Amino acid sequence: SHAGTHLAFLQLQPGGSATDPVVRLRVWDAGRGTLRDVALTGGARIAVNSGLAWSPDDTRLVLALRTTARDDEARKRFKALTDGPIIVHSSKDPFLEWDDLGRVTRWRSVAEIDLATGQPRIVLPERKLSSYTVARDGTFITFQEDVTPKTDYDVIGGTENALRMVPIAGGEPVTVAEAKDLKGLTLRWSDDGRTFAYAKKGEVFVQRIDEKKPRSLTPPP
């Protein structure tokens, strides 16, 4: 936590052959030396690939949720691909099966959890999220949404991501940069999460999340 008094972490509890792993949210109190579980209400399940971020006042945590329906779908598809009598992959389909199955883990929602009650509040409804980051001041989340239209045969596991932003308080996401403008780029973020930079064709560009276009910091090559 920002105050340095508590440590929150996710603990994976392995599932059986027909069940999925369960992720437990746990908080250690450094002052008391106690460890407690935070049980989420309403049947919400924490995504195995979730991150963790504290709210500025240390009373809430932001993490990713995943529905049991998505996990069930992924398990059935995996079983069909490995146990089926005949498997046919066709380049005429938008995605090859293994490529599409690998993207299933990205279906997540992002929620804010009240540590006192375990009550989740959805900040971002379910989307195919490649990654997400909570701003240092806790007022917004930036996320990369997988909008890949089809399997990329030139880049194994190639993904096209649009960069968007949504306020923690809720609301419609705003697009910061389109996928076509970010393809093949690696973004470097400032500590406060408000500015990113990248290199492209011999130039270094920077852009704030409230700007519509990037600015070049270097002379044209």
Side-chain angles (χ1 to χ4, degrees), residues 28-56:
W28 178 63
D29 187 320
R32 296 189 176 95
T34 57
L35 181 65
R36 73 180 180 93
D37 285 273
V38 179
L40 273 58
T41 62
R45 287 169 53 95
I46 302 173
V48 173
N49 53 351
S50 173
L52 269 182
W54 288 91
S55 64

Side-chain angles (χ1 to χ4, degrees), residues 2-92:
H2 295 91
T5 58
H6 293 77
L7 174 69
F9 62 93
L10 300 177
Q11 182 176 0
L12 187 67
Q13 180 177 318
S17 59
T19 58
D20 296 302
V22 175
V23 181
R24 300 165 63 187
L25 173 59
R26 314 194 77 186
V27 178
W28 178 63
D29 187 320
R32 296 189 176 95
T34 57
L35 181 65
R36 73 180 180 93
D37 285 273
V38 179
L40 273 58
T41 62
R45 287 169 53 95
I46 302 173
V48 173
N49 53 351
S50 173
L52 269 182
W54 288 91
S55 64
D57 62 1
D58 291 338
T59 63
R60 300 176 305 282
L61 282 167
V62 177
L63 45 73
L65 305 180
R66 183 170 165 82
T67 65
T68 55
R70 289 289 183 188
D71 286 331
D72 291 342
E73 174 193 355
R75 189 189 308 107
K76 291 175 181 177
R77 290 181 63 182
F78 179 82
K79 184 175 179 60
L81 284 171
T82 54
D83 292 349
I86 299 175
I87 303 298
V88 178
H89 297 273
S90 172
S91 60
K92 294 180 181 179

Side-chain angles (χ1 to χ4, degrees), residues 119-167:
Q119 179 68 39
R121 181 183 65 83
I122 300 298
V123 176
L124 182 66
E126 186 185 52
R127 288 172 179 249
K128 197 181 287 186
L129 303 177
S130 294
S131 64
Y132 69 93
T133 304
V134 181
R136 185 169 61 186
D137 64 3
T139 60
F140 64 90
I141 295 173
T142 53
F143 62 94
Q144 294 196 53
E145 182 176 4
D146 183 353
V147 294
T148 311
K150 59 183 179 180
T151 292
D152 189 337
Y153 290 98
D154 297 321
V155 180
I156 297 176
T159 302
E160 296 181 30
N161 293 303
L163 179 62
R164 312 192 202 281
M165 183 272 290
V166 63

Side-chain angles (χ1 to χ4, degrees), residues 142 163 175-178 181-182 185 187-190 192-198 204-217:
T142 53
L163 179 62
T175 300
V176 178
E178 298 287 355
D181 299 321
L182 299 179
L185 302 181
L187 305 185
R188 305 295 185 185
W189 286 89
S190 60
D192 62 2
R194 292 181 177 275
T195 306
F196 60 93
Y198 58 86
V204 175
F205 295 87
V206 296
Q207 183 178 346
R208 294 196 311 268
I209 60 170
D210 58 352
E211 292 180 316
K212 295 186 180 299
K213 294 183 179 181
R215 294 168 285 120
S216 174
L217 298 183

